[in-house]
Amino acid sequence: MITKQNVLELDNNDPIGFARDRFYIPPGKVYLDGNSLGLMSHDTHARVAEVTNRQWGKDAITSWNKHNWIGLPQRVGEKIAPLVGAAPGQVICCDSISVNLFKTLAASLTLVQTEQPQKNQVLSTPDNFPTDLYMVQGLQQLLGQQRCELVLEKEQQLADAVTDTTAVVLVTEVNFRTGRRLDVETLIAKAHAAGAMVIVDLAHSAGVLPVDLDAWQADFAVGCTYKYLNGGPGAPAFIYAAERHHAKLQQPLVGWMGHANPFEFTPNYSPAPGISQFLGGTPPVLSMSAVDAALDAFKDVNLGQLRFKSMQLSELFHDLVVQFELTSELTLIAPEDRNQRGSQLSYESEHAYGICQALIERDVVADFRSPNYLRVGFAPLYNSFHDVYLAVQALADVIESKAHLSERWQQRNAVT
Ligand SMILES: *Cc1c(COP(=O)(O)O)cnc(C)c1O
């Protein structure tokens, strides 16, 4: 039997509990949606004010030099690098995951096909995040099936599905619906043994799991900054490209910011050396400054501590769901073993949408994913064990009172 006292003790003994004070916690709310949009830190709020009031407001265009706006993509990339196990010079902040997937897919296909022209397949999973699959489909249309053919295989069979014709494996480490975490390191080893490259999508990993791109020998990776990195709505994403590929790299979205000398304004493209060649257009200075400041919330917190707390939070949540006898309404579809999960739990229920809305009405913010999943995300930087306790109490109240069956939840909002 888990008591409220036990839960409060967990908070008292939490070695990274201090980090919660770095954030604006929406008053009176339990926020379990950091896997969709991370909360705003005090530093981020102050930085956006500084950038608008002083930098843009007073220094205007001189800020490109004076406040080094021009160096933001590299600077923010270097701040993300230690969170994903990358040595310097391999991570840059730019664009969205979608656009970065297009660039890394095209770059990796070209690299592989230069040596092995018979390889044309991009191997991924049917339940990958849709944008990942759409990007391959778009490239397939552009390049033709001889150069790019999407092949889908169930996620647990992915490593065994690599064949002679596999050029690239596109894998998301943590499934956005189920929360299952894949063994990416083993997958990379198998892909490399067959002469294929691997692009890892870290959308649900960066900032919450220890990621070791260099040690895994990943080829490319992408990730976003608005989930566990708390960069703000629509904040720019990042790209990792292993240094061993830099010299031969070719990506198709060549823009002036990725040119060796953008301010020479020459008509012919010549790529900047290293990771900077992934840049296209002008960086979004306001949002990228927000990401820069948001990353300071990781100061004095290590990824091992974050991972451990994240596993404790999800385990506590599910143990309480069992204790409150809610499992007849909610079926856990995330793996039972906490080591095989990312930092979220997903439950299947016929009434998942109504449950989610009734929870939000009780100031507990979770989200819903089609067709019938309730997702609860745990952001160990700012979620407390008490948050989890309050959330499961509210969930029990919803189900006991049948609030989730209300007519009002028949119509779905545009964003679920
Ligand atoms: C959130 C998410 C994305 C989002 O892509 P954007 O282009 O940045 O909107 C991509 N992939 C995965 C796995 C995600 O979870």
Side-chain angles (χ1 to χ4, degrees):
M1 171 82 184
I2 302 160
T3 64
K4 185 172 170 185
Q5 195 51 42
N6 300 146
V7 170
L8 295 177
E9 272 165 30
L10 284 169
D11 278 325
N12 280 335
N13 297 325
D14 176 6
I16 57 171
F18 61 85
R20 180 177 169 92
D21 294 337
R22 295 175 174 171
F23 290 86
Y24 286 93
I25 308 292
K29 291 208 195 321
V30 171
Y31 191 80
L32 298 180
D33 216 358
N35 52 337
S36 227
L37 176 67
L39 292 180
M40 179 170 61
S41 75
H42 294 284
D43 282 347
T44 307
H45 186 257
R47 178 74 67 86
V48 173
E50 150 80 15
V51 175
T52 50
N53 294 340
R54 196 163 71 87
Q55 299 184 5
W56 183 19
K58 298 205 171 68
D59 297 330
I61 199 162
T62 61
S63 298
W64 285 104
N65 291 315
K66 188 166 176 190
H67 303 294
N68 198 10
W69 286 354
I70 197 69
L72 268 172
Q74 289 83 359
R75 207 159 69 235
V76 173
E78 292 308 353
K79 247 166 141 171
I80 295 170
L83 297 174
V84 295
Q90 303 177 102
V91 180
I92 197 150
C93 184
C94 57
D95 301 317
S96 59
I97 287 192
S98 303
V99 172
N100 290 339
L101 280 169
F102 186 87
K103 291 184 278 189
T104 51
L105 278 163
S108 52
L109 280 171
T110 304
L111 279 171
V112 170
Q113 288 167 355
T114 307
E115 312 268 317
Q116 308 165 90
Q118 83 288 358
K119 286 186 178 289
N120 72 325
Q121 294 179 338
V122 177
L123 179 62
S124 196
T125 65
D127 57 348
N128 200 345
F129 194 87
T131 209
D132 297 51
L133 304 180
Y134 301 161
M135 283 296 146
V136 184
Q137 290 164 18
L139 261 179
Q140 182 168 326
Q141 221 164 42
L142 185 70
L143 300 175
Q145 198 158 310
Q146 289 77 11
R147 288 213 46 215
C148 178
E149 180 189 9
L150 177 61
V151 177
L152 300 175
E153 193 62 50
K154 281 213 183 93
E155 85 191 349
Q156 279 124 307
Q157 273 108 57
L158 203 55
D160 295 327
V162 177
T163 69
D164 285 352
T165 49
T166 308
V168 178
V169 182
L170 172 59
V171 64
T172 297
E173 187 186 16
V174 177
N175 185 297
F176 79 104
R177 275 199 199 90
T178 64
R180 179 183 298 280
R181 178 191 196 190
L182 297 183
D183 177 358
V184 171
E185 187 174 13
T186 303
L187 177 65
I188 291 172
K190 288 210 173 174
H192 284 177
M197 287 195 184
V198 180
I199 303 173
V200 191
D201 185 333
L202 298 172
H204 288 270
S205 309
V208 76
L209 293 175
V211 172
D212 245 329
L213 292 172
D214 284 348
W216 298 346
Q217 303 211 322
D219 298 287
F220 298 94
V222 295
C224 64
T225 63
Y226 52 79
K227 292 172 181 162
Y228 296 108
L229 298 180
N230 313 304
F238 66 87
I239 289 191
Y240 162 92
E243 190 169 12
R244 64 182 180 280
H245 297 316
H246 288 187
K248 290 190 191 156
L249 256 178
Q250 262 187 297
Q251 66 91 8
L253 297 183
V254 297
W256 73 304
M257 284 289 157
H259 192 279
N261 298 297
F263 287 89
E264 304 270 306
F265 295 102
T266 55
N268 293 323
Y269 184 76
S270 162
I275 193 71
S276 296
Q277 65 192 287
F278 276 103
L279 295 182
T282 307
V285 171
L286 295 183
S287 354
M288 214 176 280
S289 302
V291 178
D292 187 29
L295 291 166
D296 293 337
F298 287 87
K299 193 166 177 286
D300 301 325
V301 175
N302 73 51
L303 287 168
Q305 292 172 313
L306 281 172
R307 175 63 175 158
F308 184 67
K309 182 175 173 190
S310 144
M311 292 194 298
Q312 283 183 305
L313 289 166
S314 71
E315 191 163 63
L316 175 66
F317 190 99
H318 190 63
D319 287 348
L320 287 168
V321 164
V322 172
Q323 183 171 308
F324 282 93
E325 297 178 357
L326 306 178
T327 49
S328 54
E329 183 64 51
L330 295 162
T331 310
L332 182 69
I333 56 156
E336 293 274 349
D337 175 0
R338 65 184 197 174
N339 290 300
Q340 289 181 34
R341 298 196 294 246
S343 199
Q344 73 176 51
L345 289 174
S346 300
Y347 293 92
E348 190 165 11
S349 165
E350 192 190 336
H351 307 112
Y353 187 74
I355 293 172
C356 184
Q357 293 304 310
L359 271 178
I360 292 171
E361 209 168 50
R362 282 160 181 73
D363 288 328
V364 174
V365 185
D367 66 20
F368 164 85
R369 285 295 175 265
S370 177
N372 51 7
Y373 299 135
L374 174 73
R375 296 195 315 174
V376 274
F378 305 97
L381 269 185
Y382 52 77
N383 280 136
S384 63
F385 294 95
H386 190 230
D387 280 344
V388 168
Y389 190 79
L390 292 173
V392 184
Q393 258 188 339
L395 190 56
D397 178 59
V398 167
I399 289 166
E400 276 158 30
S401 67
K402 302 201 190 303
H404 58 297
L405 302 178
S406 163
E407 288 276 305
R408 291 181 297 148
W409 318 130
Q410 295 300 323
Q411 277 293 85
R412 286 183 191 167
N413 287 328
V415 175
T416 61

